[in-house]
Amino acid sequence: MHLTILGSGLLALYIPAVTATGHRIDRRAVVRAFNPHRNVSSTKTPLQVGNGNFAFGVDVTGLQTFSPFATMSTWGWHSFSLPTTPGQTSVEDFTGLDWWTHDRLVNYNQPNPAQADISNWLIQNPQRLNLARIGFSFDGEETTEEDLQEKAQELDLWTGKISSSFKYKDVAVYVETWADASSDSIGISVGSELLTEGSLGIFFDFPLPTRNKFDAPFVGIFNATGNHSTTLRSQKQSAIIRHDLDETSYDVSFKWDSKAEISGPAKGTHRYLLKPSGGKKDIVLVVAFSPGGIKPRIPSLTQIKKASSKWWGSFWNSGAFVDLSATTSAEAKELQRRIILSQYLTAVNSASTLPPQGLVNNGWYGKFHLEMILWHLLHFARWDKYPLLWRSLPHMYNDYLSSSLDRARLQGYAGARWGKMTDPTGRSAPGEINSLLIWQQPHPMYFAETEYRSFPDAATLRKWDAILTPTADFMASYAFYNESTGVYDLGPPMYPASENTNPNATVNPAFELAYWRFGLDVAITWKQRQGLSVPAKWAEVHDKLALLPTAGDAFALYEGIPDMWAPNSTTVTDHPAMSGIFGLLPPPRSGPPLNMTIVRNTAKKIKELWAWGDCWGWDFPMLAMNVLRLGDVDQAVSYLLDPLFNFDDAGYPEGGARVPTPYFPGSSSFLLAIAMMAGGWDGEPGPHFPEEWKVVVEGFIPGL
Ligand SMILES: *[C@@H]1O[C@H](CO)[C@@H](O)[C@H](O)[C@H]1NC(C)=O
Ligand SMILES: *[C@@H]1O[C@H](CO)[C@@H](O)[C@H](O)[C@H]1NC(C)=O
Ligand SMILES: *[C@@H]1O[C@H](CO)[C@@H](O)[C@H](O)[C@H]1NC(C)=O
Ligand SMILES: *[C@@H]1O[C@H](CO)[C@@H](O)[C@H](O)[C@H]1NC(C)=O
Ligand SMILES: *[C@@H]1O[C@H](CO)[C@@H](O)[C@H](O)[C@H]1NC(C)=O
Ligand SMILES: *[C@@H]1O[C@H](CO)[C@@H](O)[C@H](O)[C@H]1NC(C)=O
Ligand SMILES: *[C@@H]1O[C@H](CO)[C@@H](O)[C@H](O)[C@H]1NC(C)=O
């Protein structure tokens, strides 16, 4: 370590040296201290190599030998054929439902009971594909993980390499698994006398997707072989297997470096076997995945290793960093572990050209949720990893703009109404909640304003203006002017972030109101910064938006909600979004200030009364950010280490009772809260860690 510690306690007492990369922190040492080690496969999570757009999950053998963890990409999707039910055979046949909305009927993208087949089809399709399973074959014998001895595995976070070793019948096998940094390819090297004997092979298998909302821990089924087909074309030391499923087809291209024969499929399966002919004790295999018709570039293993090492090195050396290693407490050690592993896992699973959903398994068919992208992506900005953020933003909003303009127009609103559970084309899946949720709407403002902090220039203003304008147009148009009260209301019908209220009774939810005000504020400032005129409607709605509702001396979930804060009532369960009002969101820059007594009381009541069993994932970082702004650093640490907010041995955030593991918004929101602790916010520059901790941070810009 290049740290010189002169005393304990205050940061001012440190005089850290500067490393070769110009950092005060020896980042490599901090990172590598948390390399995951396994000697048995996890039943829930793989170890992964990947690059944000492609990931390969492995069991303890370094391949998918015993546990068929997934191989997933941003481009690999599949749809089952459309229903044949008369009147429900095309997407255009789907009508949704009309609901009363302020004395007019508005059409919502909701499952129509009279059209169950097409409604379900739209929900279940497309699904993200598990492209293939690749594993070891031990001389064709039935083998289980227990038949292997001396299993050991390490993921080197600094280079993106998984090293695995084990013995089979007392013969050692060494495996290295790598993913390319910029293509959908993996490189594998295997060394073993079993190869010399010709008794170790590598199999490939191809699953059929399912219609399961959650396909976890494994994706697809391998025993339904009838409804899809595979075709092998082999050449000397290379082969291509084409996989056809309904309208989808893609290629898996293999190249290897020694004498080996590929054969298959075995009868009644889609299983192929690459069998070394023997005589050589190692083999290198490169596998590239590509959409049908696109000829992949197949890199060599050397190229893959070099690209992976370089990419991960620059990932760790760029942007911000937190070093808690001089603090001996178990809490600091666990926070540091989560910080490092969450960074690795969000880079592998969320730094995508599409909005993230993770590449471990299929939650929600692998579709992504536009209300969740703030949690998934904002930390990349706060940790100054903009190139990863820019893979999806803001182009994703441009890509989905026209369908969002249509969505708003068909409902009689101005501007663009962003969708919810979305597929790569921007189609939002039918759903009562999906169609009535609104807190995804101001997200572009948060992204834009954060980016402006780092890049306060005309290019940033121009880039986001085309998105903020239709977004604010919708937000202003959606707010309903209530003649009798003289204020603009949000809803009904609508669902708040907690999704647990009667949508027809939900009006003026506290968090959404605060977020609407924030969003319009940013949109107005954005125009002013460019010297452009501010649409009068935006200012009118911003100035006359309903006040945040209260119940007693704390916030209410929404205006007029019965039994607010009654113990065990549905008013104190699910996402405690009221904590986002002062935490995730900064205090309002204009308009009525927050009543800080109410903000404090709300935080206190949540802590005392909330039904924690129904909380998961981003709830805890959101609560941590709330108490951080309120000055309670110790409570923030407690929230981040809450027993209900668990990260497994390899850093995957556990889903809990309601969503599968991993639930990546847990990782990304955690990093967002850490950015707030380390980098601080307007008027309160960081770091904000417990007084007695020894902390070095670098590279953060204070948040909003
Ligand atoms: C496997 O790893 C666990 C956790 O690191 C350790 O406690 C255990 O002793 C290891 N088992 C073997 C057989 O190495
Ligand atoms: C809300 O109102 C619509 C009609 O506008 C109705 O179809 C729906 O069932 C109502 N939902 C609830 C939960 O009351
Ligand atoms: C495939 O296996 C699963 C259990 O793993 C079983 O439930 C299912 O019936 C099998 N399907 C076929 C087509 O054999
Ligand atoms: C295979 O296709 C047939 C006909 O479309 C369908 O009935 C069956 O459910 C499919 N099998 C699976 C496992 O999806
Ligand atoms: C206007 O606000 C009042 C008080 O919140 C409410 O009772 C009334 O229903 C609202 N009017 C309309 C037309 O929504
Ligand atoms: C803030 O809320 C408290 C508790 O409801 C109330 O007593 C106080 O008057 C409020 N302050 C302002 C400035 O409105
Ligand atoms: C609330 O629920 C908890 C756990 O189910 C129970 O122990 C407690 O008595 C309940 N409190 C009230 C006021 O019903």
Side-chain angles (χ1 to χ4, degrees), residues 102 480 482 484-485 489 559:
H102 294 295
F480 173 81
N482 185 323
S484 58
T485 55
D489 290 334
E559 189 177 308

Side-chain angles (χ1 to χ4, degrees), residues 2 17 66-67 78 99 129 305 354 435 452 457 527 596 643:
H2 302 269
F66 304 112
S67 307
H78 164 262
W99 275 29
L129 276 173
K305 283 180 168 182
L354 288 177
S435 65
Y452 190 71
D457 55 33
K527 289 292 179 198
M596 290 311 293

